[in-house]
Amino acid sequence: MVVGDIATGTEVLVIGAGPGGYVAAIRAAQQGLDTTLVEKDAYGGTCLNYGCIPSKALITSADLAHEAGNAEEMGIHADPVVDMSQLRDWKDGVVNQLTGGVEKLCKANGVNLVEGTARFKDENAVRIAHGGEGQGSETIEFEHCIIATGSRVIQIPGFDFADEQVWSSRDALAADTVPDRLVVVGGGYIGMELSTTFAKLGSEVTVVEMLDDILPGYESDVARVVRKRAEDLGIDMNFGEGASGWREDDDGIMVTTETEDGEENEYRADKVLVAVGRSPVTDTMELENAGLEADERGFLSVDDFRRTDVEHIYAVGDIVADTPMLAHVASKEGIVAAEHIAGEPVAFDSQAVPAAVFTDPEIGTVGMTEDEAEEMGFTPLVGQMPFTASGRALTTGHADGFVRIVADDDSGFILGAQIVGPEASELVAEVALAIEMGATLEDVASTIHTHPTLAEAVMEAAENALGQAIHTLNR
């Protein structure tokens, strides 16, 4: 033990206070386990502080301003002015309310909170280095450990986030001015959410994507609806190009891209936002001292209980291999890990994991697509309801997109859904529940849905699969 180092013990040590870590810590404490939560930055992690929450606050504000300024068809004439400084203060207030709430919830449930950076000494202890000069360190010995250190943005060669002109998603969400011209590198969900947001705030937006379409991983007809809307907003799409560098001149910056054939293109901008994904944070903890080794991409392998190769050490969230980087997945994994430590009969089940993209329009998906169902040996039965046939969608002025439900033709069990349209992030929850409960098309179709609501489109999609839809033509 070094001078200034003190040693304490705990039953459950949780490293990282993001959606996976703080939820795991609270649940472990609720199970009567002595629990310690270590966080080096801010309670709530990236999601609450620099990702999910501030981005949705910015998206909501941009949507409101854009709708108010583009509602002449409804007889509304306005020219909104967005005060970005005031908007940022409001957004930060929302974030502070939530992160402060996380800290209070942890304390109220009896979780011991420790600020600092954790590194493994061995498989039963970590050393916590406290921030600030003279703060020292301490050793915490544990019976069980849950690693929940999350992820960081990926930086590409030639684009250093330390440069003022180069933005990460975190920088974009902290902006107090709107750039006149913005180049976005990456057409994934983060890139497209922020592209549409800044376009609505007044930026001239150019998207550069290496692949041949936006939103990889989503079906082409789903991505097509979002792409068309983005183009209607004036966003310039450029596919098959990778960003290779940038330079500054008297008129802002020039971003250079290159195709597979070596053809170069240049795009004028004031800022360039790099949004090409995230990578797990597992390289800061000296995992080897605990007998752990991440794979070549930095992920840790776990079993159904979220145990690593060292069975009293668990991993949850963005650092886990073969699970999506989603806050709600991390939270569920945290609950499973904590309850398994407490001896509860639990396991992680990924049958019904919904995902949402907060573009315009939104996307909500869960379970299998039609192709995936076929690959799994099912005979898929598919129903679809366009929002152009939804009275409620039409009254909102947002009728692009559809609800599609995939079921097993033999049993009627619902296998998945793809929704693109207004409030898709909310609507997908009904189908997630249906899959979790083993509901059939008949169960959803025979459930009376409130009129007029967007949720009726879910019912109509189920009816369409059965050949019984009223408000759309049956297949």
Side-chain angles (χ1 to χ4, degrees):
M1 184 177 297
V2 299
V3 175
D5 187 271
I6 59 174
T8 57
T10 188
E11 287 182 283
V12 180
L13 174 71
V14 182
I15 304 174
Y22 83 76
V23 170
I26 290 175
R27 181 52 54 89
Q30 289 173 342
Q31 293 287 327
L33 300 169
D34 180 69
T35 305
T36 300
L37 175 61
V38 180
E39 172 56 47
K40 70 175 183 178
D41 183 14
Y43 295 106
T46 294
C47 178
L48 267 67
N49 291 276
Y50 317 115
C52 316
I53 299 304
S55 66
K56 302 314 166 286
L58 189 62
I59 289 168
T60 298
S61 302
D63 286 349
L64 180 60
H66 186 265
E67 287 195 26
N70 292 272
E72 292 86 356
E73 186 179 6
M74 297 180 179
I76 299 171
H77 300 270
D79 186 16
V81 176
V82 179
D83 183 332
M84 285 298 291
S85 179
Q86 186 174 348
L87 169 54
R88 188 174 68 169
D89 289 344
W90 171 74
K91 169 180 64 67
D92 291 346
V94 173
V95 170
N96 291 337
Q97 179 179 342
L98 290 172
T99 56
V102 167
E103 184 174 1
K104 290 177 182 177
L105 284 169
C106 288
K107 290 178 178 178
N109 280 278
V111 177
N112 305 306
L113 300 179
V114 177
E115 295 184 6
T117 302
R119 291 181 173 84
F120 284 99
K121 294 179 65 175
D122 55 44
E123 66 177 31
N124 294 109
V126 297
R127 173 165 287 142
I128 310 297
H130 301 295
E133 185 177 350
Q135 293 298 308
S137 64
E138 66 177 297
T139 294
I140 300 180
E141 298 174 349
F142 57 82
E143 296 177 21
H144 301 274
C145 178
I146 301 174
I147 307 172
T149 45
S151 60
R152 61 169 72 93
V153 293
I154 294 174
Q155 188 165 291
I156 60 177
F159 294 84
D160 191 337
F161 293 135
D163 292 325
E164 181 182 352
Q165 297 88 345
V166 181
W167 275 357
S168 67
S169 57
R170 177 171 173 174
D171 298 321
L173 294 173
D176 58 5
T177 59
V178 177
D180 291 333
R181 300 162 300 185
L182 177 66
V183 168
V184 178
V185 180
Y189 73 94
I190 296 176
M192 290 311 301
E193 286 182 357
L194 291 174
S195 293
T196 52
T197 298
F198 277 93
K200 290 179 179 181
L201 290 172
S203 290
E204 180 183 309
V205 179
T206 299
V207 173
V208 176
E209 168 57 52
M210 291 185 66
L211 302 178
D212 58 4
D213 202 354
I214 61 170
L215 300 170
Y218 289 89
E219 291 183 288
S220 60
D221 58 347
V222 171
R224 187 183 308 122
V225 176
V226 176
R227 186 178 67 248
K228 183 180 183 303
R229 175 60 175 150
E231 291 170 344
D232 289 344
L233 289 169
I235 297 174
D236 180 27
M237 302 284 189
N238 301 275
F239 300 110
E241 300 180 27
S244 55
W246 67 279
R247 67 179 186 276
E248 188 174 8
D249 59 25
D250 293 337
D251 188 24
I253 64 174
M254 188 71 79
V255 179
T256 304
T257 68
E258 187 173 336
T259 67
E260 285 187 358
D261 297 330
E263 178 186 346
E264 288 193 349
N265 295 297
E266 293 186 328
Y267 300 97
R268 177 68 62 186
D270 298 294
K271 299 285 186 182
V272 54
L273 166 62
V274 179
V276 295
R278 302 183 64 84
S279 61
V281 178
T282 52
D283 56 353
T284 63
M285 295 175 288
E286 300 180 7
L287 292 173
E288 64 277 5
N289 293 340
L292 291 170
E293 182 179 0
D295 66 19
E296 66 277 2
R297 297 182 300 155
F299 293 99
L300 290 171
S301 296
V302 297
D303 62 14
D304 290 343
F305 312 116
R306 308 295 93 171
R307 289 183 303 190
T308 65
D309 294 336
V310 180
E311 70 172 23
H312 66 282
I313 299 179
Y314 296 66
V316 303
D318 289 359
I319 62 173
V320 172
D322 302 323
T323 56
M325 288 184 170
L326 297 170
H328 45 284
V329 171
S331 295
K332 183 60 177 179
E333 289 179 323
I335 289 173
V336 168
E339 292 187 347
H340 187 259
I341 290 170
E344 297 292 333
V346 295
F348 183 76
D349 179 7
S350 59
Q351 292 274 329
V353 175
V357 182
F358 293 83
T359 44
D360 180 6
E362 291 183 354
I363 298 172
T365 62
V366 64
M368 302 179 196
T369 65
E370 181 178 2
D371 289 344
E372 289 169 343
E374 285 185 353
E375 291 173 5
M376 292 294 292
F378 295 99
T379 302
L381 183 61
V382 179
Q384 191 160 307
M385 170 67 174
F387 281 111
T388 52
S390 162
R392 183 66 184 118
L394 290 169
T395 64
T396 68
H398 301 285
D400 292 337
F402 54 83
V403 175
R404 180 164 58 225
I405 289 182
V406 180
D408 174 37
D409 192 19
D410 295 332
S411 64
F413 286 123
I414 294 174
L415 303 175
Q418 300 82 46
I419 305 174
V420 56
E423 304 295 338
S425 61
E426 302 288 344
L427 296 177
V428 75
E430 177 178 356
V431 189
L433 181 62
I435 297 172
E436 183 68 29
M437 296 185 67
T440 65
L441 289 169
E442 183 67 36
D443 292 326
V444 174
S446 63
T447 298
I448 299 174
H449 287 61
T450 309
H451 177 76
T453 61
L454 297 170
E456 288 177 296
V458 177
M459 175 188 71
E460 292 267 8
E463 290 177 334
N464 181 248
L466 295 169
Q468 301 171 355
I470 300 297
H471 296 100
T472 189
L473 293 177
N474 293 298
R475 297 187 173 193

